Amino acid sequence: MIADGIAALIQVKARNAVPGSTEREASWLTSNIKKAIKQAKGSIRHLAHRREKLTSARGRRVEIDGALYNWIAVVIVEHPQPPADFTPSLEEAGSVPCVVLLRRDWEYLFDHLRSTRAVLHYISRVAGEEQELGGEPARYTQAALADADALPKELPDGLRRLAGPADVAPAYSAPLAPLEPADDSSMLFRIILEDVANTHIGEDSESDRLELLTALDTLPASYRPELGAALLKFMESVGQYKGDKVRSESRVFIPYPGDQVPMVFMVASAHFSKAQPLLSMRTQLLHHEYWTSLQEGPGSAVGVMLTPSRQKNRDWDTSTIWLKGPTGLTEEDAQELRKHITGRI
């Protein structure tokens, strides 16, 4: 599992027999967890220093440069009744960061966070710490409480000015490990991710798709319900427009540098073939203003647009623009873009 510079090599061990005595089950766990860690280390040695074509869970081939990732060994244990107070040893892992947890706890993390990137960052955070098997929810809660007590970071002045007045664009602090679980109110954002994941592109572009999905997945899970509610409101408003021009509504995400990717989310009244220039202008301007405000070499920016669909059984289509690195946009170009955009990004 790979995202945002982190690669988790996952080994699964399942206990299919009827559980026996505490001593017998502890022996089985010790033996199989040690074996799984050894297997994970071997696979990491094979992958960590070479380029390799792998097949994703969606059946697509993608080339991975293992040297670009920080590798973690993850052992998932499926056991119907593990003995109480059993803490797996990580001695076999040596210098390789390692986490051992029950399958139900692995599923708990995904149900709670609804984000591959967030799960990987949490796993990376606790890797190497021995933990009682079955105790992952308690360990996660401790991390979430620590994050809740942490002081929020202040946006640099340039980005604060870019975002606009505090009464119009209030700052939003998102913990790395949110205490409250994600819920179905973030489903619209999940649909956007699925649309990006299912768009037909060539095999040579699959690695770009994964980078785009990772960029989108940087949006904090605790912010997604608010974004979804805003987009649904935009869809209702824009959907009632009957004029000939293109009407749009937008929400801009201005992140703390290095934490997430700047993004603009738009809903337009016309098909994408007609609305595409508006998304392009918005995304280019966001990219220019964000990175110019930081006075740094340009990184990336993402634009997402929802437009009325021409397909049966589908009301809205998802389109994206991903800008990465220098775009060649000058301040004079940016001034021209501002003339064509109502309001300020």
Side-chain angles (χ1 to χ4, degrees):
M1 190 168 71
I2 296 175
D4 206 24
I6 303 172
L9 197 295
I10 300 170
Q11 285 285 337
V12 180
K13 296 298 179 185
R15 180 63 158 159
N16 296 317
V18 176
S21 65
T22 298
E23 293 76 14
R24 181 182 177 185
E25 297 311 306
S27 175
W28 183 91
L29 287 168
T30 299
S31 173
N32 281 270
I33 289 171
K34 184 176 181 179
K35 184 187 301 182
I37 293 174
K38 187 178 296 185
Q39 291 169 338
K41 287 175 62 180
S43 296
I44 289 173
R45 280 195 301 270
H46 175 78
L47 294 170
H49 303 291
R50 69 177 70 196
R51 302 184 72 90
E52 190 90 14
K53 275 207 168 184
L54 305 177
T55 302
S56 73
R58 296 179 187 269
R60 300 170 184 152
R61 297 284 286 170
V62 58
E63 187 174 66
I64 299 296
D65 184 351
L68 299 179
Y69 298 93
N70 295 317
W71 289 82
I72 304 169
V74 178
V75 177
I76 299 174
V77 179
E78 185 168 8
H79 195 293
Q81 192 176 344
D85 303 323
F86 178 85
T87 299
S89 170
L90 302 182
E91 184 178 356
E92 181 66 35
S95 60
V96 176
C98 182
V99 175
V100 179
L101 69 170
L102 290 176
R103 175 180 172 178
R104 65 170 181 257
D105 289 351
W106 179 250
E107 293 173 347
Y108 161 82
L109 293 175
F110 274 94
D111 287 342
H112 191 95
L113 294 169
R114 308 279 178 96
S115 164
T116 299
R117 176 183 180 268
V119 170
L120 279 174
H121 275 272
Y122 171 75
I123 290 295
S124 178
R125 178 176 178 176
V126 301
E129 301 175 6
E130 294 187 349
Q131 170 70 31
E132 179 182 324
L133 199 60
E136 203 59 52
R139 176 160 65 175
Y140 178 87
T141 300
Q142 290 178 351
L145 290 172
D147 285 357
D149 290 338
L151 294 175
K153 294 181 285 191
E154 295 289 337
L155 275 178
D157 290 342
L159 293 184
R160 181 66 268 182
R161 289 192 296 269
L162 174 61
D167 58 336
V168 176
Y172 182 87
S173 178
L176 295 175
L179 193 57
E180 295 298 322
D183 56 31
D184 289 341
S185 58
S186 61
M187 186 58 68
L188 179 57
F189 186 76
R190 179 66 189 179
I191 292 172
I192 291 173
L193 293 176
E194 283 295 318
D195 282 349
V196 174
N198 288 317
T199 299
H200 178 71
I201 59 176
E203 182 178 303
D204 292 341
S205 301
E206 190 61 29
S207 59
D208 291 334
R209 186 212 302 270
L210 294 180
E211 284 195 59
L212 172 57
L213 284 168
T214 297
L216 286 167
D217 202 24
T218 66
L219 193 76
S222 53
Y223 176 71
R224 296 176 189 186
E226 181 182 343
L227 173 66
L231 293 178
L232 288 171
K233 184 178 179 180
F234 295 163
M235 292 160 74
E236 181 179 4
S237 172
V238 167
Q240 296 174 357
Y241 178 71
K242 303 301 181 183
D244 295 330
K245 296 183 179 180
V246 179
R247 179 180 174 182
S248 68
E249 301 277 3
S250 62
R251 171 67 67 90
V252 178
F253 178 70
I254 306 291
Y256 187 87
D259 284 359
Q260 292 95 20
V261 175
M263 306 180 206
V264 56
F265 294 88
M266 303 185 69
V267 179
S269 61
H271 186 262
F272 184 68
S273 59
K274 188 175 181 180
Q276 187 273 339
L278 187 56
L279 177 61
S280 178
M281 288 190 291
R282 282 279 193 175
T283 309
Q284 287 183 68
L285 189 55
L286 172 62
H287 182 278
H288 174 80
E289 291 193 333
Y290 183 88
W291 295 105
T292 300
S293 296
L294 292 178
Q295 298 181 337
E296 295 181 2
S300 62
V302 174
V304 177
M305 177 175 273
L306 303 179
T307 54
S309 178
R310 294 175 178 172
Q311 302 178 53
K312 292 183 178 179
N313 303 319
R314 187 180 179 91
D315 294 328
W316 298 86
D317 288 333
T318 301
S319 303
T320 58
I321 291 179
W322 178 36
L323 299 179
K324 185 178 179 182
T327 63
L329 194 73
T330 65
E331 184 55 36
E332 290 74 20
D333 296 330
Q335 291 289 358
E336 287 298 314
L337 289 178
R338 293 187 189 101
K339 293 178 183 178
H340 291 86
I341 296 176
T342 303
R344 175 173 173 79
I345 274 191

